[in-house]
mmCIF file with all atom_site columns, all heavy atoms in Angstrom:
data_model
loop_
_atom_site.group_PDB
_atom_site.id
_atom_site.type_symbol
_atom_site.label_atom_id
_atom_site.label_alt_id
_atom_site.label_comp_id
_atom_site.label_asym_id
_atom_site.label_entity_id
_atom_site.label_seq_id
_atom_site.pdbx_PDB_ins_code
_atom_site.Cartn_x
_atom_site.Cartn_y
_atom_site.Cartn_z
_atom_site.occupancy
_atom_site.B_iso_or_equiv
_atom_site.pdbx_formal_charge
_atom_site.auth_seq_id
_atom_site.auth_comp_id
_atom_site.auth_asym_id
_atom_site.auth_atom_id
_atom_site.pdbx_PDB_model_num
ATOM 1   N N   . LYS K 1 118 ? 3.987  12.635 15.798 1.00 90.00 ? 145 LYS K N   1
ATOM 2   C CA  . LYS K 1 118 ? 2.739  12.400 15.049 1.00 90.00 ? 145 LYS K CA  1
ATOM 3   C C   . LYS K 1 118 ? 1.687  11.619 15.888 1.00 90.00 ? 145 LYS K C   1
ATOM 4   O O   . LYS K 1 118 ? 0.525  11.766 15.541 1.00 90.00 ? 145 LYS K O   1
ATOM 5   C CB  . LYS K 1 118 ? 3.090  11.643 13.727 1.00 90.00 ? 145 LYS K CB  1
ATOM 6   C CG  . LYS K 1 118 ? 3.872  12.444 12.785 1.00 90.00 ? 145 LYS K CG  1
ATOM 7   C CD  . LYS K 1 118 ? 2.925  13.416 12.190 1.00 90.00 ? 145 LYS K CD  1
ATOM 8   C CE  . LYS K 1 118 ? 3.557  14.168 11.022 1.00 90.00 ? 145 LYS K CE  1
ATOM 9   N NZ  . LYS K 1 118 ? 2.761  15.287 10.547 1.00 90.00 ? 145 LYS K NZ  1
ATOM 10  N N   . ASN K 1 119 ? 2.168  10.784 16.821 1.00 88.00 ? 146 ASN K N   1
ATOM 11  C CA  . ASN K 1 119 ? 1.245  9.943  17.577 1.00 88.00 ? 146 ASN K CA  1
ATOM 12  C C   . ASN K 1 119 ? 1.752  9.788  19.033 1.00 88.00 ? 146 ASN K C   1
ATOM 13  O O   . ASN K 1 119 ? 2.743  9.097  19.304 1.00 88.00 ? 146 ASN K O   1
ATOM 14  C CB  . ASN K 1 119 ? 1.218  8.619  16.899 1.00 88.00 ? 146 ASN K CB  1
ATOM 15  C CG  . ASN K 1 119 ? 0.339  7.630  17.617 1.00 88.00 ? 146 ASN K CG  1
ATOM 16  O OD1 . ASN K 1 119 ? -0.349 7.948  18.608 1.00 88.00 ? 146 ASN K OD1 1
ATOM 17  N ND2 . ASN K 1 119 ? 0.225  6.385  17.089 1.00 88.00 ? 146 ASN K ND2 1
ATOM 18  N N   . THR K 1 120 ? 1.082  10.516 19.960 1.00 85.00 ? 147 THR K N   1
ATOM 19  C CA  . THR K 1 120 ? 1.478  10.446 21.392 1.00 85.00 ? 147 THR K CA  1
ATOM 20  C C   . THR K 1 120 ? 1.453  9.067  21.946 1.00 85.00 ? 147 THR K C   1
ATOM 21  O O   . THR K 1 120 ? 2.039  8.794  23.009 1.00 85.00 ? 147 THR K O   1
ATOM 22  C CB  . THR K 1 120 ? 0.702  11.429 22.226 1.00 85.00 ? 147 THR K CB  1
ATOM 23  O OG1 . THR K 1 120 ? -0.690 11.115 22.095 1.00 85.00 ? 147 THR K OG1 1
ATOM 24  C CG2 . THR K 1 120 ? 0.955  12.861 21.765 1.00 85.00 ? 147 THR K CG2 1
ATOM 25  N N   . ALA K 1 121 ? 0.736  8.177  21.320 1.00 90.00 ? 148 ALA K N   1
ATOM 26  C CA  . ALA K 1 121 ? 0.631  6.787  21.759 1.00 90.00 ? 148 ALA K CA  1
ATOM 27  C C   . ALA K 1 121 ? 1.806  5.873  21.293 1.00 90.00 ? 148 ALA K C   1
ATOM 28  O O   . ALA K 1 121 ? 1.882  4.715  21.664 1.00 90.00 ? 148 ALA K O   1
ATOM 29  C CB  . ALA K 1 121 ? -0.694 6.155  21.319 1.00 90.00 ? 148 ALA K CB  1
ATOM 30  N N   . PHE K 1 122 ? 2.721  6.470  20.551 1.00 92.00 ? 149 PHE K N   1
ATOM 31  C CA  . PHE K 1 122 ? 3.865  5.789  20.039 1.00 92.00 ? 149 PHE K CA  1
ATOM 32  C C   . PHE K 1 122 ? 4.692  5.122  21.137 1.00 92.00 ? 149 PHE K C   1
ATOM 33  O O   . PHE K 1 122 ? 4.990  5.803  22.146 1.00 92.00 ? 149 PHE K O   1
ATOM 34  C CB  . PHE K 1 122 ? 4.744  6.591  19.145 1.00 92.00 ? 149 PHE K CB  1
ATOM 35  C CG  . PHE K 1 122 ? 6.031  5.921  18.706 1.00 92.00 ? 149 PHE K CG  1
ATOM 36  C CD1 . PHE K 1 122 ? 6.049  5.083  17.713 1.00 92.00 ? 149 PHE K CD1 1
ATOM 37  C CD2 . PHE K 1 122 ? 7.268  6.234  19.476 1.00 92.00 ? 149 PHE K CD2 1
ATOM 38  C CE1 . PHE K 1 122 ? 7.226  4.427  17.330 1.00 92.00 ? 149 PHE K CE1 1
ATOM 39  C CE2 . PHE K 1 122 ? 8.447  5.557  19.117 1.00 92.00 ? 149 PHE K CE2 1
ATOM 40  C CZ  . PHE K 1 122 ? 8.403  4.638  18.004 1.00 92.00 ? 149 PHE K CZ  1
ATOM 41  N N   . ARG K 1 123 ? 5.028  3.824  21.044 1.00 94.00 ? 150 ARG K N   1
ATOM 42  C CA  . ARG K 1 123 ? 5.832  3.099  21.997 1.00 94.00 ? 150 ARG K CA  1
ATOM 43  C C   . ARG K 1 123 ? 6.891  2.399  21.213 1.00 94.00 ? 150 ARG K C   1
ATOM 44  O O   . ARG K 1 123 ? 6.535  1.592  20.285 1.00 94.00 ? 150 ARG K O   1
ATOM 45  C CB  . ARG K 1 123 ? 5.102  2.129  22.878 1.00 94.00 ? 150 ARG K CB  1
ATOM 46  C CG  . ARG K 1 123 ? 3.979  2.807  23.703 1.00 94.00 ? 150 ARG K CG  1
ATOM 47  C CD  . ARG K 1 123 ? 4.658  3.672  24.803 1.00 94.00 ? 150 ARG K CD  1
ATOM 48  N NE  . ARG K 1 123 ? 3.663  4.300  25.623 1.00 94.00 ? 150 ARG K NE  1
ATOM 49  C CZ  . ARG K 1 123 ? 3.258  5.569  25.474 1.00 94.00 ? 150 ARG K CZ  1
ATOM 50  N NH1 . ARG K 1 123 ? 3.675  6.289  24.515 1.00 94.00 ? 150 ARG K NH1 1
ATOM 51  N NH2 . ARG K 1 123 ? 2.391  6.133  26.306 1.00 94.00 ? 150 ARG K NH2 1
ATOM 52  N N   . TYR K 1 124 ? 8.119  2.586  21.542 1.00 95.00 ? 151 TYR K N   1
ATOM 53  C CA  . TYR K 1 124 ? 9.215  1.961  20.812 1.00 95.00 ? 151 TYR K CA  1
ATOM 54  C C   . TYR K 1 124 ? 9.029  0.383  20.658 1.00 95.00 ? 151 TYR K C   1
ATOM 55  O O   . TYR K 1 124 ? 9.066  -0.120 19.584 1.00 95.00 ? 151 TYR K O   1
ATOM 56  C CB  . TYR K 1 124 ? 10.545 2.157  21.434 1.00 95.00 ? 151 TYR K CB  1
ATOM 57  C CG  . TYR K 1 124 ? 11.770 1.671  20.598 1.00 95.00 ? 151 TYR K CG  1
ATOM 58  C CD1 . TYR K 1 124 ? 12.350 2.504  19.616 1.00 95.00 ? 151 TYR K CD1 1
ATOM 59  C CD2 . TYR K 1 124 ? 12.242 0.442  20.834 1.00 95.00 ? 151 TYR K CD2 1
ATOM 60  C CE1 . TYR K 1 124 ? 13.493 2.000  18.922 1.00 95.00 ? 151 TYR K CE1 1
ATOM 61  C CE2 . TYR K 1 124 ? 13.302 -0.094 20.042 1.00 95.00 ? 151 TYR K CE2 1
ATOM 62  C CZ  . TYR K 1 124 ? 13.823 0.700  19.093 1.00 95.00 ? 151 TYR K CZ  1
ATOM 63  O OH  . TYR K 1 124 ? 14.939 0.254  18.375 1.00 95.00 ? 151 TYR K OH  1
ATOM 64  N N   . GLU K 1 125 ? 8.809  -0.265 21.742 1.00 94.00 ? 152 GLU K N   1
ATOM 65  C CA  . GLU K 1 125 ? 8.748  -1.671 21.783 1.00 94.00 ? 152 GLU K CA  1
ATOM 66  C C   . GLU K 1 125 ? 7.569  -2.158 20.959 1.00 94.00 ? 152 GLU K C   1
ATOM 67  O O   . GLU K 1 125 ? 7.531  -3.289 20.395 1.00 94.00 ? 152 GLU K O   1
ATOM 68  C CB  . GLU K 1 125 ? 8.589  -2.266 23.223 1.00 94.00 ? 152 GLU K CB  1
ATOM 69  C CG  . GLU K 1 125 ? 9.928  -2.016 24.009 1.00 94.00 ? 152 GLU K CG  1
ATOM 70  C CD  . GLU K 1 125 ? 11.198 -2.768 23.410 1.00 94.00 ? 152 GLU K CD  1
ATOM 71  O OE1 . GLU K 1 125 ? 10.932 -3.790 22.728 1.00 94.00 ? 152 GLU K OE1 1
ATOM 72  O OE2 . GLU K 1 125 ? 12.263 -2.311 23.662 1.00 94.00 ? 152 GLU K OE2 1
ATOM 73  N N   . ASN K 1 126 ? 6.446  -1.449 20.896 1.00 95.00 ? 153 ASN K N   1
ATOM 74  C CA  . ASN K 1 126 ? 5.264  -1.868 20.180 1.00 95.00 ? 153 ASN K CA  1
ATOM 75  C C   . ASN K 1 126 ? 5.269  -1.382 18.769 1.00 95.00 ? 153 ASN K C   1
ATOM 76  O O   . ASN K 1 126 ? 4.579  -2.126 17.929 1.00 95.00 ? 153 ASN K O   1
ATOM 77  C CB  . ASN K 1 126 ? 3.963  -1.339 20.939 1.00 95.00 ? 153 ASN K CB  1
ATOM 78  C CG  . ASN K 1 126 ? 3.804  -1.886 22.309 1.00 95.00 ? 153 ASN K CG  1
ATOM 79  O OD1 . ASN K 1 126 ? 4.349  -2.971 22.583 1.00 95.00 ? 153 ASN K OD1 1
ATOM 80  N ND2 . ASN K 1 126 ? 3.209  -1.148 23.162 1.00 95.00 ? 153 ASN K ND2 1
ATOM 81  N N   . ASN K 1 127 ? 5.898  -0.271 18.481 1.00 96.00 ? 154 ASN K N   1
ATOM 82  C CA  . ASN K 1 127 ? 5.630  0.307  17.175 1.00 96.00 ? 154 ASN K CA  1
ATOM 83  C C   . ASN K 1 127 ? 6.860  0.471  16.214 1.00 96.00 ? 154 ASN K C   1
ATOM 84  O O   . ASN K 1 127 ? 6.712  0.838  15.058 1.00 96.00 ? 154 ASN K O   1
ATOM 85  C CB  . ASN K 1 127 ? 4.981  1.735  17.340 1.00 96.00 ? 154 ASN K CB  1
ATOM 86  C CG  . ASN K 1 127 ? 3.716  1.681  18.133 1.00 96.00 ? 154 ASN K CG  1
ATOM 87  O OD1 . ASN K 1 127 ? 3.615  2.286  19.195 1.00 96.00 ? 154 ASN K OD1 1
ATOM 88  N ND2 . ASN K 1 127 ? 2.720  0.948  17.725 1.00 96.00 ? 154 ASN K ND2 1
ATOM 89  N N   . PHE K 1 128 ? 8.069  0.187  16.729 1.00 97.00 ? 155 PHE K N   1
ATOM 90  C CA  . PHE K 1 128 ? 9.247  0.307  15.895 1.00 97.00 ? 155 PHE K CA  1
ATOM 91  C C   . PHE K 1 128 ? 9.639  -1.117 15.509 1.00 97.00 ? 155 PHE K C   1
ATOM 92  O O   . PHE K 1 128 ? 9.926  -1.947 16.355 1.00 97.00 ? 155 PHE K O   1
ATOM 93  C CB  . PHE K 1 128 ? 10.406 1.006  16.572 1.00 97.00 ? 155 PHE K CB  1
ATOM 94  C CG  . PHE K 1 128 ? 11.559 1.147  15.636 1.00 97.00 ? 155 PHE K CG  1
ATOM 95  C CD1 . PHE K 1 128 ? 11.531 2.023  14.550 1.00 97.00 ? 155 PHE K CD1 1
ATOM 96  C CD2 . PHE K 1 128 ? 12.676 0.341  15.805 1.00 97.00 ? 155 PHE K CD2 1
ATOM 97  C CE1 . PHE K 1 128 ? 12.616 2.127  13.630 1.00 97.00 ? 155 PHE K CE1 1
ATOM 98  C CE2 . PHE K 1 128 ? 13.777 0.392  14.942 1.00 97.00 ? 155 PHE K CE2 1
ATOM 99  C CZ  . PHE K 1 128 ? 13.714 1.347  13.839 1.00 97.00 ? 155 PHE K CZ  1
ATOM 100 N N   . GLY K 1 129 ? 9.601  -1.392 14.165 1.00 97.00 ? 156 GLY K N   1
ATOM 101 C CA  . GLY K 1 129 ? 9.884  -2.725 13.705 1.00 97.00 ? 156 GLY K CA  1
ATOM 102 C C   . GLY K 1 129 ? 11.392 -3.074 13.423 1.00 97.00 ? 156 GLY K C   1
ATOM 103 O O   . GLY K 1 129 ? 11.792 -4.198 13.637 1.00 97.00 ? 156 GLY K O   1
ATOM 104 N N   . GLY K 1 130 ? 12.119 -1.997 13.025 1.00 97.00 ? 157 GLY K N   1
ATOM 105 C CA  . GLY K 1 130 ? 13.569 -2.306 12.798 1.00 97.00 ? 157 GLY K CA  1
ATOM 106 C C   . GLY K 1 130 ? 14.047 -1.594 11.508 1.00 97.00 ? 157 GLY K C   1
ATOM 107 O O   . GLY K 1 130 ? 13.357 -0.783 10.860 1.00 97.00 ? 157 GLY K O   1
ATOM 108 N N   . ALA K 1 131 ? 15.363 -1.878 11.146 1.00 97.00 ? 158 ALA K N   1
ATOM 109 C CA  . ALA K 1 131 ? 16.003 -1.253 10.026 1.00 97.00 ? 158 ALA K CA  1
ATOM 110 C C   . ALA K 1 131 ? 16.472 -2.389 9.104  1.00 97.00 ? 158 ALA K C   1
ATOM 111 O O   . ALA K 1 131 ? 17.118 -3.359 9.558  1.00 97.00 ? 158 ALA K O   1
ATOM 112 C CB  . ALA K 1 131 ? 17.210 -0.526 10.586 1.00 97.00 ? 158 ALA K CB  1
ATOM 113 N N   . ALA K 1 132 ? 16.180 -2.111 7.856  1.00 96.00 ? 159 ALA K N   1
ATOM 114 C CA  . ALA K 1 132 ? 16.687 -3.105 6.812  1.00 96.00 ? 159 ALA K CA  1
ATOM 115 C C   . ALA K 1 132 ? 17.557 -2.358 5.813  1.00 96.00 ? 159 ALA K C   1
ATOM 116 O O   . ALA K 1 132 ? 17.229 -1.253 5.325  1.00 96.00 ? 159 ALA K O   1
ATOM 117 C CB  . ALA K 1 132 ? 15.472 -3.736 6.048  1.00 96.00 ? 159 ALA K CB  1
ATOM 118 N N   . TYR K 1 133 ? 18.786 -2.919 5.609  1.00 96.00 ? 160 TYR K N   1
ATOM 119 C CA  . TYR K 1 133 ? 19.680 -2.373 4.588  1.00 96.00 ? 160 TYR K CA  1
ATOM 120 C C   . TYR K 1 133 ? 19.705 -3.459 3.500  1.00 96.00 ? 160 TYR K C   1
ATOM 121 O O   . TYR K 1 133 ? 19.989 -4.602 3.670  1.00 96.00 ? 160 TYR K O   1
ATOM 122 C CB  . TYR K 1 133 ? 21.058 -2.222 5.210  1.00 96.00 ? 160 TYR K CB  1
ATOM 123 C CG  . TYR K 1 133 ? 21.218 -0.874 5.823  1.00 96.00 ? 160 TYR K CG  1
ATOM 124 C CD1 . TYR K 1 133 ? 20.414 -0.493 6.862  1.00 96.00 ? 160 TYR K CD1 1
ATOM 125 C CD2 . TYR K 1 133 ? 22.269 -0.006 5.430  1.00 96.00 ? 160 TYR K CD2 1
ATOM 126 C CE1 . TYR K 1 133 ? 20.479 0.778  7.471  1.00 96.00 ? 160 TYR K CE1 1
ATOM 127 C CE2 . TYR K 1 133 ? 22.372 1.232  6.003  1.00 96.00 ? 160 TYR K CE2 1
ATOM 128 C CZ  . TYR K 1 133 ? 21.484 1.636  7.065  1.00 96.00 ? 160 TYR K CZ  1
ATOM 129 O OH  . TYR K 1 133 ? 21.615 2.873  7.580  1.00 96.00 ? 160 TYR K OH  1
ATOM 130 N N   . LEU K 1 134 ? 19.295 -2.925 2.294  1.00 94.00 ? 161 LEU K N   1
ATOM 131 C CA  . LEU K 1 134 ? 19.158 -3.822 1.184  1.00 94.00 ? 161 LEU K CA  1
ATOM 132 C C   . LEU K 1 134 ? 20.253 -3.578 0.214  1.00 94.00 ? 161 LEU K C   1
ATOM 133 O O   . LEU K 1 134 ? 20.355 -2.509 -0.433 1.00 94.00 ? 161 LEU K O   1
ATOM 134 C CB  . LEU K 1 134 ? 17.821 -3.535 0.478  1.00 94.00 ? 161 LEU K CB  1
ATOM 135 C CG  . LEU K 1 134 ? 16.573 -3.698 1.335  1.00 94.00 ? 161 LEU K CG  1
ATOM 136 C CD1 . LEU K 1 134 ? 15.317 -3.401 0.599  1.00 94.00 ? 161 LEU K CD1 1
ATOM 137 C CD2 . LEU K 1 134 ? 16.550 -5.023 2.026  1.00 94.00 ? 161 LEU K CD2 1
ATOM 138 N N   . PHE K 1 135 ? 21.158 -4.567 0.089  1.00 92.00 ? 162 PHE K N   1
ATOM 139 C CA  . PHE K 1 135 ? 22.327 -4.471 -0.803 1.00 92.00 ? 162 PHE K CA  1
ATOM 140 C C   . PHE K 1 135 ? 21.863 -5.014 -2.179 1.00 92.00 ? 162 PHE K C   1
ATOM 141 O O   . PHE K 1 135 ? 21.839 -6.212 -2.375 1.00 92.00 ? 162 PHE K O   1
ATOM 142 C CB  . PHE K 1 135 ? 23.539 -5.235 -0.253 1.00 92.00 ? 162 PHE K CB  1
ATOM 143 C CG  . PHE K 1 135 ? 24.151 -4.556 0.953  1.00 92.00 ? 162 PHE K CG  1
ATOM 144 C CD1 . PHE K 1 135 ? 23.547 -4.681 2.197  1.00 92.00 ? 162 PHE K CD1 1
ATOM 145 C CD2 . PHE K 1 135 ? 25.253 -3.817 0.809  1.00 92.00 ? 162 PHE K CD2 1
ATOM 146 C CE1 . PHE K 1 135 ? 24.084 -4.100 3.294  1.00 92.00 ? 162 PHE K CE1 1
ATOM 147 C CE2 . PHE K 1 135 ? 25.873 -3.223 1.926  1.00 92.00 ? 162 PHE K CE2 1
ATOM 148 C CZ  . PHE K 1 135 ? 25.271 -3.302 3.136  1.00 92.00 ? 162 PHE K CZ  1
#
Side-chain angles (χ1 to χ4, degrees):
K145 291 290 187 184
N146 179 1
T147 57
F149 173 80
R150 299 292 178 261
Y151 185 90
E152 292 297 335
N153 297 334
N154 303 119
F155 182 72
Y160 274 56
L161 306 179
F162 290 79

